[in-house]
Amino acid sequence: MLTRRGAMGLLGGAGAASIAGGLGVTLPTRSAHAAQNRPTLTIAVDNLKETLAPINGLSTATRRFFPNMFDRLIEQDYLSDENGLTFLPGLATKWEQNGKIWTFQIREGAKFHDGSDVTAEDAAFTLSAERLWGEKPYEPRGKTFTPNFVRVEAIGKYTFEIETDTPDANIPGKLTGFVGFVVPKKYYKEVGVDRFGQMPIGSGPYKVTQFRSGDVLQMEAFDDYWGGPPPAQKLIWKIIPEFAARMAGLVSGEFDFIVNIPTDQEKLIASYESVTLVRRPVGNYTLFAFNTLPNPADNPLVDPKLRYAMVQGVDMDLIVKTLWGDSTFHPSIPFNFPEYGKFYDPSRKDPLPYDPDRSRALIKETKYKGQPLTWNVHKDFYPNYEIAAEIMIDQWREVGINVQANIVDNVSVYRRPFHMLSMSNSSSFIPGDPYQPLWLDWSPQSTRATAPWKVWAPSERFIQLGEAFEKTTTFEDRKRAYLALSEEWQRLTPGMYMWKSVNNFAHRKKLGWVPAGEGEMRLFGDYLKLG
C-alpha cells in the first residue's frame, strides 16, 4: 500500500508528459471530405453507457462521442479558444434576448439522419416540458438543467422562443451543454425514449448504425451533414476494459485512438514512435461524496464534525503533486475554480486545511469509535483515483479513521450500503459561471439528493441561498449569492473535491487531432486531420 512516506518518494516522477491541444489554432471550419477513400477509425474505450438518449445517457463516457452524432444549438469553440468561452452558431444561427424571452433562429437546410429537416418544432420539443421539465417528462434529469423554464414554443418553421420565469442572460451558455443536443420530435415520440436510446437519430456528422451497450457503438459518415462530409467513413467505439489491451491494440495498429491511460504508463506510451500522447485539463473535478444520511441507520457521517475531520486528515495537495506533477491542482476551496474568471479569488483561505492534530481532536468530539467506513470506488474509471484512495486511506488510518475501499464496476458502485462514493463534477454547464457544480449538482432536484443512491438532503438555508443565486441578474449580485451559497456548502461539507480532471488519450501519429473540452472527442471538421 502506498503511504504518505512512499508518496514523497515518488515526487518528481509524475506529470512529465506535456499537455497537448488547442493552442494557436484558427477558427473552426466545417471541412468537407471526399466520400471515397475515407478510413474507418477504431476508438478503444473503457466503457459506453446503457442508453444514448442525450439526457438520460449523460455521463463521462458519452461526452466522448455524443458531439459526433448530435448537434447542439450553440457550440463552444475549442480551436481558437482552448477554454471554450467563445460561442459559435450550431443548429441555431442567431439568438437574442428581450426580457424573459429568448428568440432563436434554426439553421435552414440542416437535416436529421433519417433525411427529415431540422425545424423549430424539433428544437422546441427538445427543450419542452414534455421531454425535460413537465410532470412526467421523457428524460427527468432534464429538470435539473431547465429549472426556470416556463414556455418553449415554435413560432415559425425556423424560429422558436424560450421564456423563463425571470430574465436569464445565461440561456445561450446552457444550450452549449447536453441539454442543447437537438432530437427529432417525430421519431423520438414514435419510438419512445427507451428505444431512442438504443438507436438514436441526430443531425451530427456521423449516424449510429449499431449499438450494443456492453460491447460496441458504430457510426457511419452522414454526408448530408450541413457542415459537409466528415473525414472518416466509419467510427467504431469498442469497449476494451483493460488498459494493457488498449495499448497493445494502438501500438499494433488495430486501434486508432485509446482513452484513460494510467499516469504511470504515459511515459511508455509516449516512447512509441508511431503514437502521440495527448493530455488536457478539462472542466471537471474528481471528488468523493460523503453519505450524510442515516442510511445505514448507524452511519457516523451524519455528524459534520467527522466529515471535517476526514477532510483535514488527508494531505490532498501532496497526493495531487505526487500523482499529477504540475498537470493539475487540488481546489482547497470548493467551487473557487480558476475557469470562473471574476468569480475566482486565489486569496480566499481554506477553512479546512490539512491538519492531522485538528482531525484527531474533531474525531474525539464525535461518537465515532473506529468502525469501518465503506468507500464505493469506480473500478478503472477515474485516472489515478484508486491509488489516491490507497494513500488517503493510509493517512486516515494515522488519525484514527478506518476507511475500506470497495472497488467495483460502474453499476455496482451505487449499491448500498456505503459511506462514501466516488464521482466527478462538471464545471461548465454555463461556461465561466459556477452554477453547475455549486447549485445544479447539489440542489434538491439533483441526483445526489433524489436518486436511489442519494447522499444528502440540502439544508433549508442551502436551498434558500441557491434559489436566490439562481435568480440573480447582475454580476455583483450573483457573486455575493455565490459566496454565500459556497460558504453554506462548506459548512455542510457533503464531499471533498480532489483535483481538476485531466483527460488523456493516445492516437496514431499520422492523425492530427485537437481535443475539445469536457473529454469530447470531436472527430470532424478542423478537430481531425488525416495524415
Side-chain angles (χ1 to χ4, degrees):
M1 175 182 291
L2 285 176
T3 64
R4 185 167 181 264
R5 181 178 299 173
M8 288 291 290
L10 294 174
L11 282 174
S18 62
I19 296 174
L23 299 177
V25 190
T26 57
L27 282 167
T29 59
R30 300 288 188 168
S31 302
H33 295 263
Q36 65 273 19
N37 300 322
R38 287 180 295 182
T40 292
L41 299 180
T42 301
I43 305 97
V45 298
D46 48 354
N47 61 86
L48 294 170
K49 183 72 175 176
E50 303 84 29
T51 176
L52 302 184
I55 303 300
N56 285 351
L58 191 159
S59 72
T60 300
T62 56
R63 283 183 187 279
R64 295 178 185 134
F65 51 77
F66 269 1
N68 296 286
M69 50 197 273
F70 296 114
D71 264 332
R72 295 180 175 96
L73 287 160
I74 299 172
E75 296 286 355
Q76 290 175 266
D77 173 15
Y78 288 102
L79 291 173
S80 63
D81 176 1
E82 68 173 350
N83 294 313
L85 299 181
T86 300
F87 294 172
L88 294 173
L91 287 178
T93 57
K94 289 171 53 180
W95 50 92
E96 61 181 4
Q97 182 182 17
N98 183 8
K100 300 178 184 179
I101 298 174
W102 279 90
T103 303
F104 295 84
Q105 297 294 321
I106 292 295
R107 183 180 297 278
E108 297 186 31
K111 292 186 178 297
F112 288 112
H113 299 150
D114 62 358
S116 62
D117 290 337
V118 179
T119 69
E121 282 287 344
D122 300 300
F125 171 74
T126 294
L127 298 167
S128 68
E130 181 179 10
R131 179 171 175 258
L132 298 181
W133 48 275
E135 288 293 320
K136 295 183 178 180
Y138 285 104
E139 303 193 51
R141 289 181 73 182
K143 291 182 179 181
T144 305
F145 304 104
T146 53
N148 58 345
F149 282 30
V150 297
R151 180 178 64 89
V152 184
E153 182 181 3
I155 59 172
K157 184 173 183 180
Y158 295 106
T159 308
F160 76 98
E161 293 179 342
I162 298 174
E163 182 177 354
T164 53
D165 56 5
T166 58
D168 187 348
N170 293 308
I171 289 294
K174 293 177 180 180
L175 297 184
T176 65
F178 275 62
V179 76
F181 285 128
V182 176
V183 299
K185 177 180 179 180
K186 183 174 184 294
Y187 174 73
Y188 188 105
K189 295 189 69 174
E190 280 178 355
V191 302
V193 65
D194 292 338
R195 285 180 58 194
F196 184 89
Q198 300 306 303
M199 189 52 65
I201 288 177
S203 61
Y206 298 92
K207 58 186 177 182
V208 174
T209 56
Q210 184 183 46
F211 174 54
R212 295 193 300 271
S213 62
D215 181 21
V216 68
L217 167 64
Q218 292 193 21
M219 305 176 185
E220 291 186 1
F222 179 53
D223 288 341
D224 288 333
Y225 181 54
W226 61 266
Q233 182 60 37
K234 183 183 289 188
L235 303 179
I236 301 175
W237 308 79
K238 187 170 181 58
I239 294 180
I240 307 294
E242 299 299 327
F243 167 72
R246 295 198 296 273
M247 181 178 72
L250 178 66
V251 173
S252 71
E254 179 184 0
F255 306 139
D256 300 284
F257 288 86
I258 64 172
V259 305
N260 269 14
I261 302 157
T263 304
D264 61 359
Q265 297 296 307
E266 287 185 337
K267 187 174 182 180
L268 176 61
I269 280 282
S271 71
Y272 291 100
E273 292 186 0
S274 61
V275 170
T276 296
L277 172 68
V278 180
R279 300 176 85 189
R280 192 189 198 286
V282 294
N284 182 282
Y285 288 78
T286 302
L287 69 140
F288 68 83
F290 291 113
N291 177 8
T292 66
L293 304 174
N295 183 4
D298 60 351
N299 179 13
L301 286 170
V302 297
D303 186 341
K305 288 185 178 179
L306 184 57
R307 305 198 294 267
Y308 301 159
M310 293 188 72
V311 172
Q312 295 201 264
V314 289
D315 190 349
M316 191 55 65
D317 286 319
L318 172 67
I319 293 169
V320 172
K321 181 70 174 178
T322 300
L323 299 179
W324 294 102
D326 295 327
S327 296
T328 187
F329 63 93
H330 164 54
S332 58
I333 302 177
F335 319 114
N336 187 35
F337 300 155
E339 59 262 43
Y340 290 150
K342 293 181 180 179
F343 288 97
Y344 175 59
D345 181 0
S347 68
R348 288 176 64 189
K349 187 176 180 180
D350 182 0
L352 296 172
Y354 173 61
D355 186 339
D357 291 336
R358 178 59 182 156
S359 177
R360 294 185 185 97
L362 282 165
I363 294 168
K364 290 180 181 178
E365 297 178 24
T366 73
K367 296 179 180 180
Y368 179 69
K369 300 301 180 184
Q371 58 267 45
L373 303 178
T374 300
W375 184 2
N376 279 8
V377 175
H378 291 78
K379 178 178 173 58
D380 297 329
F381 197 72
Y382 303 116
N384 283 333
Y385 199 104
E386 291 167 57
I387 190 170
E390 288 187 27
I391 301 171
M392 294 164 71
I393 288 170
D394 188 62
Q395 292 185 358
W396 279 322
R397 185 179 298 112
E398 290 181 8
V399 298
I401 299 173
N402 179 12
V403 176
Q404 297 179 356
N406 180 34
I407 299 173
V408 290
D409 61 42
N410 193 43
V411 175
S412 303
V413 76
Y414 297 105
R415 291 177 183 162
R416 295 185 182 275
F418 63 81
H419 299 92
M420 299 156 64
L421 185 61
S422 65
M423 59 178 61
S424 69
N425 199 157
S426 178
S427 61
S428 62
F429 175 53
I430 302 175
D433 187 281
Y435 174 78
Q436 176 173 4
L438 176 54
W439 176 240
L440 194 65
D441 289 333
W442 294 97
S443 75
Q445 291 78 38
S446 69
T447 54
R448 293 168 196 180
T450 61
W453 50 264
K454 62 185 178 182
V455 293
W456 90 316
S459 69
E460 285 299 317
R461 177 166 172 74
F462 186 84
I463 294 170
Q464 292 169 2
L465 291 171
E467 290 173 346
F469 171 63
E470 195 167 41
K471 289 180 170 60
T472 56
T473 57
T474 68
F475 172 76
E476 291 74 16
D477 288 343
R478 195 165 183 81
K479 185 169 184 179
R480 280 193 294 270
Y482 147 72
L483 289 171
L485 184 60
S486 176
E487 288 172 5
E488 176 65 4
W489 190 96
Q490 292 169 60
R491 184 184 73 82
L492 299 167
T493 306
M496 182 178 187
Y497 284 77
M498 297 160 69
W499 58 74
K500 184 171 185 177
S501 299
V502 177
N503 282 350
N504 57 14
F505 314 83
H507 60 81
R508 290 190 299 131
K509 186 159 288 186
K510 71 177 186 178
L511 300 173
W513 179 64
V514 179
E518 309 310 302
E520 292 184 6
M521 297 183 69
R522 300 183 182 185
L523 301 179
F524 56 87
D526 286 343
Y527 290 92
L528 177 65
K529 299 294 184 183
L530 303 177

